[in-house]
Amino acid sequence: LKDFTNNLHTLKQMILKLKKLLFQNVSLKQTLIKNTFWLTTSATVSKVIRSVVIIYAARALGVDQYGIYSYAVGLVSLFSLFSDVGLTPLLVKELSGKNLKDGSSAVSAIVLFKFLLLVASFILVIAIAPLVSNIPEANPLILFVALIVLFDNLRGFGFSVMRAENRMEKEAKISIFTE
């Protein structure tokens, strides 16, 4: 019974150390390890989930229908290239600064400009993509795919706030959940 109690106490200590390592920012080295772990876990799990969904969608839709869907995604993605122009890393830089009161107007401007670019990009996709599409069957999908890309860009922009705060564990949870 004494050995069991000692083992239980040791297990509790290990769990507390693991929680401290993976969920708290204690030192620069520990924060780097924590953030690397969470970003790696998030990327790996998200890619596996996305791969399974893509394989399932390709099998369920068939070659022709999946080809049309892939075309719509490519077309919308081409138009949405201009919706960031480097604003996400700039927001991380501004939010990571120690004195946010001086940069608050810069942060506000970045957020406003990002939203304006996203809305303009979305409107551009909806207005122009059906006109340049060579595949008429893809036109009904363009609005749906444009919404997916819009929300994916918003999610990525939101992750910049978590990255500025060194809270990649939150980013990992949200990323895996939204996949």
CSV table of all heavy atoms in Angstrom, one decimal, residues 5-23:
chain,number,residue,atom,x,y,z
A,5,THR,N,0.9,4.3,-2.8
A,5,THR,CA,0.7,5.7,-2.4
A,5,THR,C,1.9,6.5,-3.0
A,5,THR,O,1.7,7.6,-3.5
A,5,THR,CB,0.7,5.8,-0.9
A,5,THR,OG1,-0.4,5.0,-0.4
A,5,THR,CG2,0.3,7.3,-0.5
A,6,ASN,N,3.1,6.0,-2.9
A,6,ASN,CA,4.3,6.7,-3.4
A,6,ASN,C,4.2,6.8,-4.9
A,6,ASN,O,4.5,7.8,-5.5
A,6,ASN,CB,5.6,6.0,-3.0
A,6,ASN,CG,5.9,6.2,-1.5
A,6,ASN,OD1,5.4,7.1,-0.9
A,6,ASN,ND2,6.7,5.3,-1.0
A,7,ASN,N,3.8,5.7,-5.6
A,7,ASN,CA,3.6,5.8,-7.0
A,7,ASN,C,2.6,6.8,-7.5
A,7,ASN,O,2.7,7.5,-8.5
A,7,ASN,CB,3.3,4.4,-7.6
A,7,ASN,CG,4.5,3.4,-7.5
A,7,ASN,OD1,5.6,3.9,-7.4
A,7,ASN,ND2,4.2,2.1,-7.6
A,8,LEU,N,1.5,6.8,-6.7
A,8,LEU,CA,0.4,7.7,-7.0
A,8,LEU,C,0.9,9.2,-6.8
A,8,LEU,O,0.6,10.0,-7.7
A,8,LEU,CB,-0.8,7.4,-6.1
A,8,LEU,CG,-2.1,8.2,-6.4
A,8,LEU,CD1,-2.6,7.9,-7.8
A,8,LEU,CD2,-3.2,7.9,-5.4
A,9,HIS,N,1.6,9.4,-5.8
A,9,HIS,CA,2.2,10.8,-5.5
A,9,HIS,C,3.1,11.1,-6.7
A,9,HIS,O,3.1,12.3,-7.1
A,9,HIS,CB,2.9,10.8,-4.2
A,9,HIS,CG,3.5,12.1,-3.9
A,9,HIS,ND1,2.7,13.2,-3.6
A,9,HIS,CD2,4.8,12.5,-3.8
A,9,HIS,CE1,3.5,14.3,-3.4
A,9,HIS,NE2,4.7,13.9,-3.5
A,10,THR,N,4.0,10.2,-7.1
A,10,THR,CA,4.9,10.5,-8.2
A,10,THR,C,4.2,10.7,-9.5
A,10,THR,O,4.6,11.6,-10.2
A,10,THR,CB,5.9,9.2,-8.4
A,10,THR,OG1,6.5,9.0,-7.1
A,10,THR,CG2,6.9,9.5,-9.4
A,11,LEU,N,3.1,10.0,-9.7
A,11,LEU,CA,2.3,10.2,-10.9
A,11,LEU,C,1.7,11.6,-10.9
A,11,LEU,O,1.7,12.3,-11.9
A,11,LEU,CB,1.2,9.1,-11.0
A,11,LEU,CG,0.3,9.2,-12.3
A,11,LEU,CD1,1.1,9.0,-13.5
A,11,LEU,CD2,-0.8,8.2,-12.2
A,12,LYS,N,1.2,12.0,-9.8
A,12,LYS,CA,0.6,13.3,-9.6
A,12,LYS,C,1.6,14.4,-9.9
A,12,LYS,O,1.3,15.4,-10.6
A,12,LYS,CB,-0.1,13.5,-8.2
A,12,LYS,CG,-1.3,12.8,-8.0
A,12,LYS,CD,-1.9,13.1,-6.6
A,12,LYS,CE,-3.2,12.3,-6.4
A,12,LYS,NZ,-3.7,12.5,-5.1
A,13,GLN,N,2.8,14.2,-9.4
A,13,GLN,CA,3.9,15.2,-9.6
A,13,GLN,C,4.3,15.3,-11.1
A,13,GLN,O,4.5,16.4,-11.6
A,13,GLN,CB,5.1,14.8,-8.8
A,13,GLN,CG,5.0,15.0,-7.3
A,13,GLN,CD,4.7,16.4,-6.9
A,13,GLN,OE1,5.1,17.4,-7.6
A,13,GLN,NE2,4.1,16.6,-5.7
A,14,MET,N,4.3,14.1,-11.7
A,14,MET,CA,4.6,14.1,-13.2
A,14,MET,C,3.5,14.8,-14.0
A,14,MET,O,3.8,15.6,-14.9
A,14,MET,CB,4.8,12.7,-13.7
A,14,MET,CG,6.1,12.0,-13.2
A,14,MET,SD,6.2,10.3,-13.6
A,14,MET,CE,6.0,10.3,-15.3
A,15,ILE,N,2.3,14.6,-13.6
A,15,ILE,CA,1.2,15.3,-14.3
A,15,ILE,C,1.2,16.8,-14.1
A,15,ILE,O,1.0,17.6,-15.1
A,15,ILE,CB,-0.2,14.7,-13.9
A,15,ILE,CG1,-0.3,13.2,-14.4
A,15,ILE,CG2,-1.3,15.5,-14.4
A,15,ILE,CD1,-1.5,12.5,-13.9
A,16,LEU,N,1.5,17.2,-12.9
A,16,LEU,CA,1.7,18.7,-12.6
A,16,LEU,C,2.8,19.3,-13.4
A,16,LEU,O,2.7,20.4,-14.0
A,16,LEU,CB,1.8,18.9,-11.1
A,16,LEU,CG,0.6,18.7,-10.3
A,16,LEU,CD1,1.0,18.8,-8.8
A,16,LEU,CD2,-0.5,19.7,-10.6
A,17,LYS,N,3.9,18.6,-13.5
A,17,LYS,CA,5.1,19.1,-14.3
A,17,LYS,C,4.7,19.1,-15.8
A,17,LYS,O,5.1,20.1,-16.5
A,17,LYS,CB,6.3,18.2,-14.1
A,17,LYS,CG,6.9,18.4,-12.8
A,17,LYS,CD,8.2,17.5,-12.7
A,17,LYS,CE,8.8,17.6,-11.3
A,17,LYS,NZ,10.0,16.8,-11.2
A,18,LEU,N,4.0,18.1,-16.3
A,18,LEU,CA,3.6,18.1,-17.7
A,18,LEU,C,2.6,19.2,-18.0
A,18,LEU,O,2.7,19.9,-19.0
A,18,LEU,CB,3.0,16.7,-18.0
A,18,LEU,CG,2.7,16.4,-19.5
A,18,LEU,CD1,4.0,16.5,-20.3
A,18,LEU,CD2,2.0,15.1,-19.7
A,19,LYS,N,1.7,19.5,-17.1
A,19,LYS,CA,0.7,20.6,-17.3
A,19,LYS,C,1.5,21.9,-17.3
A,19,LYS,O,1.2,22.8,-18.1
A,19,LYS,CB,-0.3,20.6,-16.1
A,19,LYS,CG,-1.4,19.6,-16.3
A,19,LYS,CD,-2.5,19.7,-15.2
A,19,LYS,CE,-3.6,18.8,-15.4
A,19,LYS,NZ,-4.6,18.9,-14.3
A,20,LYS,N,2.4,22.0,-16.4
A,20,LYS,CA,3.2,23.3,-16.3
A,20,LYS,C,4.0,23.5,-17.6
A,20,LYS,O,4.1,24.6,-18.2
A,20,LYS,CB,4.1,23.3,-15.1
A,20,LYS,CG,4.9,24.6,-14.9
A,20,LYS,CD,5.7,24.5,-13.6
A,20,LYS,CE,6.4,25.8,-13.4
A,20,LYS,NZ,7.2,25.7,-12.1
A,21,LEU,N,4.6,22.4,-18.1
A,21,LEU,CA,5.3,22.4,-19.4
A,21,LEU,C,4.5,22.8,-20.6
A,21,LEU,O,4.9,23.6,-21.4
A,21,LEU,CB,6.1,21.1,-19.6
A,21,LEU,CG,6.8,21.0,-20.9
A,21,LEU,CD1,8.1,21.9,-20.9
A,21,LEU,CD2,7.2,19.5,-21.2
A,22,LEU,N,3.3,22.2,-20.7
A,22,LEU,CA,2.5,22.3,-21.9
A,22,LEU,C,1.4,23.4,-21.8
A,22,LEU,O,0.8,23.8,-22.9
A,22,LEU,CB,1.8,21.0,-22.2
A,22,LEU,CG,2.7,19.8,-22.6
A,22,LEU,CD1,1.9,18.6,-22.8
A,22,LEU,CD2,3.5,20.2,-23.8
A,23,PHE,N,1.1,24.0,-20.7
A,23,PHE,CA,0.1,25.0,-20.6
A,23,PHE,C,0.4,26.3,-19.9
A,23,PHE,O,-0.4,27.2,-19.8
A,23,PHE,CB,-1.1,24.4,-19.8
A,23,PHE,CG,-1.8,23.2,-20.6
A,23,PHE,CD1,-1.5,21.9,-20.2
A,23,PHE,CD2,-2.6,23.4,-21.7
A,23,PHE,CE1,-2.1,20.9,-20.9
A,23,PHE,CE2,-3.2,22.4,-22.3
A,23,PHE,CZ,-2.9,21.1,-21.9
